Amino acid sequence: MTTAVGPDTARKPATMAQALGRALRDAMAADPSVHVLGEDVGALGGVFRITDGLTKEFGEDRCTDTPLAEAGILGTAVGMAMYGLRPVVEMQFDAFAYPSFEQLISHVSRMRNRTRGAMPMPITVRVPYGGGIGGVEHHSDSSEIYYMATPGLHVVAPATVADAYGLLRAAIASDDPVIFLEPKRLYWSKADWSADAPEQVPPIGRAVVRRPATGGRRGATLISYGPSVPVCLEAAEAARAEGWDLEVVDLRSLVPFDDDTVCASVRRTGRAVVVHESTGFGGPGGEIAARVTERCFHHLEAPVLRVAGFDIPYPPPMLERHHLPGVDRVLDAVARLQWESEWTEGSAV
């Protein structure tokens, strides 16, 4: 039986920015306890216009411009959550969030545990993050490892329009604090999507296979999230010319981490490369590679490799193209996955 799709639910091109704005609007309409606060989120509609129109529709009391004081913004959100509200904080840019870390680590991440679950912290912290937009210093950091290393926080990073909407709605509904990392260079990426009938997406804590391998002999898994997912998909298509059969796993959620989906993919392919914009030393890729190695050791045909940003402060705009992992660097890593082992299969010991 085919269900007709009306004009109000028809899928049409939408940007990630539009999906995020619609998620905020729908959450506020559905629950009066949802409040948005941050620098320039009101009259301006946010630097990236994600919150455009929310103050007009819901009033200044529910979409509130704040002073330039990130520690104060997040501290206010803690008080709001303690009194039963569900604050959604915008940090405007990734590196602007650092002054709020004392509140984040000492209170936001610990309050539910400290009170034995009696006092949840339903705070969503929206952080536009990552590079690719030519931002100056403090405007393009990839700081997800700080949040991942803080127990008590959930950390998510959408890579698609549908996930931007679905994961943000799930984050706002969660009684645990969620760091919602929004890849700035994907704000204007488009996909066919219906704002009035958004598709269901997997919950926080679930990864998805964006591009399955075909079962070819020269297989490998690319593991990524956020802004590096499109890079991996492009690399996987380019790899076909070299005879490599690459599967792409989009983590979506860094905490909780979906070991089952990731390891099932690596066990199928036997090789893995982790791709992200954050630094290599002490970055997310080290933790992911360790988890994969611990769980898939006897299935691996080669060491798990990483393609990451360089171990430097984020470079000036004219140099960021050299810093960000690109298709060529991903393919270079795939080429180093010890494919020569195939040549000796079946040879005498």
Side-chain angles (χ1 to χ4, degrees):
M1 179 178 178
T2 302
T3 302
V5 177
D8 57 330
T9 60
R11 292 160 61 92
K12 58 184 179 181
T15 66
M16 179 179 286
Q18 290 172 327
L20 291 167
R22 181 59 182 259
L24 290 171
R25 185 259 173 201
D26 288 353
M28 295 177 76
D31 185 350
S33 70
V34 177
H35 288 241
V36 173
L37 65 157
E39 299 162 6
D40 297 320
V41 299
L44 182 64
V47 171
F48 298 100
R49 303 299 186 267
I50 306 299
T51 57
D52 190 32
L54 296 183
T55 294
K56 182 178 180 180
E57 183 171 355
F58 298 102
E60 294 181 357
D61 288 343
R62 293 191 60 200
C63 184
T64 308
D65 282 328
T66 66
L68 307 183
E70 285 76 15
I73 296 169
L74 194 53
T76 299
V78 171
M80 294 169 69
M82 292 174 71
Y83 277 86
L85 300 179
R86 308 187 82 86
V88 181
V89 172
E90 181 182 300
M91 285 298 171
Q92 197 169 77
F93 284 96
D94 29 46
F96 289 12
Y98 300 152
S100 71
F101 270 28
E102 199 284 324
Q103 292 285 348
L104 185 76
I105 294 169
S106 295
H107 303 295
V108 175
S109 67
R110 299 171 186 257
M111 189 66 72
R112 196 171 192 188
N113 180 268
R114 180 187 295 154
T115 61
R116 298 184 180 181
M119 186 169 290
M121 277 283 109
I123 298 175
T124 301
V125 183
R126 293 180 46 243
V127 184
Y129 93 111
I133 65 166
V136 296
E137 188 177 11
H138 299 302
H139 289 71
S140 296
D141 279 12
S142 190
S143 46
E144 56 267 34
I145 191 61
Y146 301 139
Y147 304 112
M148 293 172 63
T150 304
L153 301 177
H154 289 182
V155 185
V156 301
T160 68
V161 171
D163 266 354
Y165 179 91
L167 286 175
L168 185 52
R169 289 298 305 271
I172 296 170
S174 173
D175 284 337
D176 287 305
V178 180
I179 306 300
F180 195 88
L181 301 171
E182 300 175 2
K184 294 191 290 288
R185 63 168 156 160
L186 297 187
Y187 273 150
W188 300 278
S189 62
K190 289 185 177 182
D192 288 340
W193 181 73
S194 171
D196 295 308
E199 62 194 81
Q200 294 293 314
V201 300
I204 292 173
R206 290 283 302 278
V208 298
V209 176
R210 295 291 178 199
R211 182 187 190 276
T214 62
R217 182 177 178 85
R218 292 162 60 84
T221 298
L222 303 181
I223 305 168
S224 193
Y225 55 89
S228 295
V229 171
V231 175
C232 290
L233 291 171
E234 185 178 351
E237 286 299 314
R240 295 172 62 185
E242 302 294 334
W244 295 319
D245 183 17
L246 303 185
E247 183 156 295
V248 178
V249 175
D250 177 1
L251 295 177
R252 304 173 69 253
S253 173
L254 298 173
V255 182
F257 190 86
D258 186 355
D259 289 298
D260 291 342
T261 299
V262 172
C263 291
S265 175
V266 175
R267 288 171 186 143
R268 284 194 298 271
T269 64
R271 293 173 171 84
V273 178
V274 186
V275 184
H276 57 67
E277 291 185 9
S278 185
T279 57
F281 186 85
E287 173 63 24
I288 296 168
R291 300 179 79 89
V292 169
T293 301
E294 289 171 354
R295 292 162 175 80
C296 305
F297 182 79
H298 295 289
H299 297 266
L300 289 171
E301 300 290 339
V304 179
L305 300 183
R306 292 171 289 167
V307 178
F310 299 119
D311 299 330
I312 59 173
Y314 199 89
M318 294 297 290
L319 298 176
E320 71 172 356
R321 70 184 185 279
H322 303 294
H323 178 74
L324 297 173
V327 170
D328 288 344
R329 288 178 60 193
V330 173
L331 295 178
D332 286 345
V334 172
R336 292 188 286 112
L337 285 172
Q338 298 186 2
W339 302 102
E340 66 273 11
S341 64
E342 296 179 354
W343 304 340
T344 60
E345 285 183 3
S347 61
V349 177

